[in-house]
Amino acid sequence: MIVRKIRELLTEYLPEGVSFQVEPPPREEMGDLATNAALVAASRLGRKPRDLAEELAQRLAERKELFRRVEVAGPGFLNFFVAPAYWQAVVERVLTAGPDYGRSALGAGRKVQVEFVSANPTGPLHIGHGRGAAVGDSLARLLDFAGYRVVREYYINDRGRQMEVLGRSVWLRARELSGEEITFPEDHYRGEYIIEIARKLLAQRPDLLQLPEKEAVSVAREFALSEILAEIRKDLEDFGVHYDVWYSERELYERGEVEEALSALREAGYLYEKDGALWFRATAFGDEKDRVVFRANGEPTYFASDIAYHREKFLKRGFDLVVDVWGADHHGYVPRLKAALAALKIEPERLRVLLIQMVNLIEGGRLKSMSTRAGEFVPLRELMEEVGRDAVRFTFLTRKCDAPLDFDVELVKSQKSENPVYYVQYAHARLASVFRKAEEEGLSPEGYEPSLLETPEDLRVLKLLDFFPQVVEEAAEALEPHRLTYYLLDLAEALHDYYTKHRFLSEDRALSRARLALARAVKQVLANGLNLLGVSAPERM
């Protein structure tokens, strides 16, 4: 990609460690790309920025295979006018690499864990979980494509009070199904799925209500956990999400990881007792207050589990980077966990937390609410069945994950340009149609002449194709898969514009071959990008 080449050339002439930008200039007439390299390096070299820029421009302009010309602007900016031959050659680069076009060695094999969704196994996945699944899975695909060794993980919260509440909820509904009048507590799980689980449990264990309460609740808890986890796994599989590891919180305790982690903190002097509880001295690392790890009743907090879990990730499994994908309501949890890592002498920067904002589902002009316990949530499966997996995944990735998202069901189901997933997938299908027609006419890209791709529309598309590897790397570094979505929309727009202004197939067979080569390259990049989002690239629509 041209940005990388420019950076490599400039670093040959600049002091080591100089940080500079290479980006499109504010106006098209100022060139294809511009840099502030001379401005930021001049003081290190004891030079005037303008003089340094003139010298760099003269040297770089000698690279005729890359630049038509290089100009100096203002106090020392460099403006690059890229040679058409460079842009035209991108087609061959795409066609040669095929599905690997855009693949990068950026990660250099560093080991990364992406832990995402990890919804409490107390009910079906709702659309908020679905957004986290789309972000986490697409990010894992992206990091893998960018050269990292990625482990996808789901953390199962299968112990603690919530599981007891789940067991009691099912047990109470079983009693109700057996004809007993009960008062159902407000803080228990109230959805229809609890009734269905209770009905299935009674069919398998007709003796449930003859058991002592404690035993019955335990049986109900384990049955509900198994049923809900199986449903979660199925929903995620149907959503195109697969995990390398399903990690049990119970096993964390059974292996002594929690005890070991807290012992390490105690030995370092960061635990103390107060009011019968055990506290972590989080304020020593910038948190707003100290945090309880064991309550006065002897029960551990979720924080105790998370300290042990993350310690094990870094110190025992050896991850270089851990990315947690959490709901936005966990925002305040981040500083305390990073404080615990610092206390354990683990660099807090090795943990990155992505916060997923809520999805506002709009259907028929009505905003649907979500509450897992009240049973008013919108299941992910329901949305998938209504609009399709591709539409759900793509739409969830049309905004940065920490921004709220409005999901307009009618728009996403429509087949018009305002629907982003349709717009991009139709671009791929449209090109597939071109190739079916070309085959009928006995035309192929074989032996094409790149120099025939010379119109402004050709160059616009070629520049976007060259930009794809940079988008992959920047999205991976920033942990922002939505950048791919924006890119694909830009490429689809350029393709649709091209289609309205130029014919891919004409009586000029040489031009047709060149344009078919361009079409094949665009089709390949669309497919590569959609695959990184976990979205299909249809041949027909």
Side-chain angles (χ1 to χ4, degrees):
M1 57 188 174
I2 191 63
V3 171
R4 179 184 292 164
K5 290 183 179 293
I6 291 173
R7 285 190 169 279
E8 290 172 353
L9 288 171
L10 285 169
T11 53
E12 293 179 16
Y13 305 113
L14 300 178
E16 187 175 348
V18 172
S19 178
F20 56 89
Q21 296 176 320
V22 180
E23 56 190 5
R27 297 192 304 278
E28 190 173 339
E29 62 269 21
M30 296 172 69
D32 297 301
L33 292 160
T35 183
N36 63 343
L39 290 168
V40 298
S43 60
R44 291 269 299 273
L45 294 170
R47 303 278 301 278
K48 292 181 179 179
R50 179 88 188 186
D51 291 344
L52 178 59
E54 294 283 1
E55 180 184 330
L56 290 171
Q58 184 177 355
R59 291 182 176 182
L60 295 172
E62 295 173 359
R63 301 293 299 268
K64 300 297 184 183
E65 79 281 10
L66 294 179
F67 307 115
R68 283 187 291 136
R69 65 182 189 276
V70 182
E71 294 181 349
V72 178
F77 289 99
L78 286 171
N79 292 342
F80 300 94
F81 295 79
V82 178
Y86 173 84
W87 297 127
Q88 291 158 351
V90 73
V91 171
E92 191 59 32
R93 293 196 293 275
V94 175
L95 298 184
T96 299
D100 286 327
Y101 182 69
R103 188 175 289 278
S104 167
L106 174 74
R110 283 175 288 174
K111 192 174 178 183
V112 179
Q113 184 215 49
V114 182
E115 186 238 310
F116 59 107
V117 183
S118 297
N120 292 339
T122 54
L125 297 180
H126 56 60
I127 60 174
H129 298 135
R131 189 180 186 190
V135 170
D137 182 65
S138 298
L139 178 61
R141 292 167 184 252
L142 183 62
L143 290 169
D144 178 77
F145 204 63
Y148 294 85
R149 288 186 295 142
V150 181
V151 173
R152 299 160 172 83
E153 188 151 312
Y154 189 114
Y155 180 69
I156 308 168
N157 296 104
D158 52 3
R159 69 176 307 282
R161 183 179 181 277
Q162 64 179 3
M163 298 309 300
E164 291 304 310
V165 171
L166 174 65
R168 288 190 63 82
S169 299
V170 172
W171 177 65
L172 289 170
R173 289 305 190 198
R175 290 168 57 190
E176 192 174 58
L177 286 170
S178 298
E180 184 178 345
E181 286 192 22
I182 62 165
T183 301
F184 202 84
E186 287 293 324
D187 66 346
H188 280 38
Y189 297 101
R190 307 175 67 84
E192 284 293 320
Y193 68 95
I194 294 293
I195 298 173
E196 289 306 309
I197 291 172
R199 184 174 286 114
K200 288 180 69 173
L201 175 57
L202 283 172
Q204 291 191 25
R205 289 295 303 269
D207 64 327
L208 177 73
L209 301 183
Q210 279 73 56
L211 298 175
E213 179 177 330
K214 185 176 181 180
E215 184 181 350
V217 170
S218 177
V219 168
R221 180 189 66 224
E222 295 307 304
F223 183 82
L225 173 62
S226 175
E227 289 289 308
I228 292 172
L229 266 182
E231 185 174 348
I232 287 174
R233 286 175 184 260
K234 184 67 166 63
D235 285 353
L236 289 168
E237 182 180 321
D238 291 346
F239 198 48
V241 176
H242 304 279
Y243 288 91
D244 302 301
V245 177
W246 290 77
Y247 194 106
S248 165
E249 183 184 7
R250 287 184 190 175
E251 293 178 9
L252 192 73
Y253 280 85
E254 291 168 1
R255 292 198 308 271
E257 296 289 350
V258 177
E259 182 180 347
E260 189 176 307
L262 295 185
S263 292
L265 289 175
R266 185 178 288 105
E267 288 173 12
Y270 295 117
L271 294 185
Y272 65 92
E273 293 185 12
K274 176 185 173 184
D275 300 329
L278 187 63
W279 296 71
F280 166 60
R281 207 179 301 278
T283 50
F285 300 92
D287 196 9
E288 61 183 3
K289 61 182 180 180
D290 292 344
R291 307 293 179 173
V292 175
V293 290
F294 262 78
R295 300 182 181 90
N297 64 3
E299 281 295 311
T301 62
Y302 289 127
F303 185 40
S305 302
D306 284 336
I307 292 172
Y309 180 43
H310 285 79
R311 177 179 180 271
E312 192 256 9
K313 292 183 187 189
F314 289 110
L315 297 186
K316 295 193 175 181
R317 288 197 276 167
F319 290 111
D320 299 297
L321 175 69
V322 166
V323 182
D324 288 348
V325 181
W326 294 349
D329 56 336
H330 287 73
H331 178 271
Y333 206 82
V334 179
R336 75 186 71 169
L337 187 52
K338 292 204 169 194
L341 292 178
L344 292 166
K345 300 192 182 322
I346 299 167
E347 295 176 12
E349 295 74 21
R350 290 169 63 190
L351 171 67
R352 299 281 299 277
V353 179
L354 303 184
L355 298 172
I356 306 295
Q357 276 288 355
M358 290 295 293
V359 177
N360 300 312
L361 189 66
I362 300 168
E363 191 167 17
R366 176 173 171 262
L367 183 66
K368 290 193 174 183
S369 63
M370 291 191 296
S371 170
T372 305
R373 290 198 174 173
E376 296 171 355
F377 59 88
V378 179
L380 173 62
R381 176 163 295 282
E382 180 181 306
L383 188 61
M384 277 196 289
E385 289 174 350
E386 183 164 0
V387 304
R389 182 178 89 182
D390 286 347
V392 175
R393 286 190 65 129
F394 194 97
T395 305
F396 281 164
L397 294 165
T398 52
R399 297 199 69 186
K400 191 174 180 181
C401 67
D402 61 1
L405 175 72
D406 289 339
F407 193 110
D408 189 326
V409 173
E410 275 70 32
L411 174 64
V412 171
K413 289 167 69 174
S414 68
Q415 294 192 348
K416 54 186 180 181
S417 60
E418 291 82 5
N419 176 1
V421 64
Y422 174 80
Y423 192 65
V424 174
Q425 287 185 314
Y426 181 58
H428 187 273
R430 174 173 257 181
L431 291 172
S433 175
V434 168
F435 280 101
R436 288 193 293 272
K437 182 67 174 173
E439 187 176 359
E440 292 174 6
E441 297 184 14
L443 278 168
S444 80
E446 302 304 320
Y448 75 96
E449 175 50 58
S451 64
L452 296 176
L453 301 172
E454 57 185 359
T455 70
E457 291 76 28
D458 285 314
L459 293 174
R460 180 189 177 194
V461 172
L462 290 167
K463 290 175 185 179
L464 281 167
L465 295 179
D466 183 69
F467 190 46
F468 180 66
Q470 182 179 338
V471 173
V472 169
E473 290 195 352
E474 290 178 350
E477 282 190 299
L479 306 180
E480 293 182 348
H482 74 278
R483 295 190 186 200
L484 275 172
T485 311
Y486 291 176
Y487 169 83
L488 291 173
L489 286 166
D490 287 343
L491 183 58
E493 181 186 16
L495 182 280
H496 291 310
D497 178 63
Y498 191 100
Y499 195 90
T500 61
K501 294 177 180 177
H502 301 288
R503 294 176 61 192
F504 282 100
L505 306 177
S506 67
E507 294 180 359
D508 187 334
R509 296 181 76 84
L511 183 59
S512 296
R513 283 194 294 273
R515 288 181 173 171
L516 280 173
L518 178 66
R520 181 167 288 174
V522 174
K523 185 170 180 283
Q524 183 68 67
V525 172
L526 286 169
N528 290 3
L530 286 168
N531 182 61
L532 290 173
L533 299 178
V535 175
S536 68
E539 295 288 313
R540 299 175 186 270
M541 289 184 72

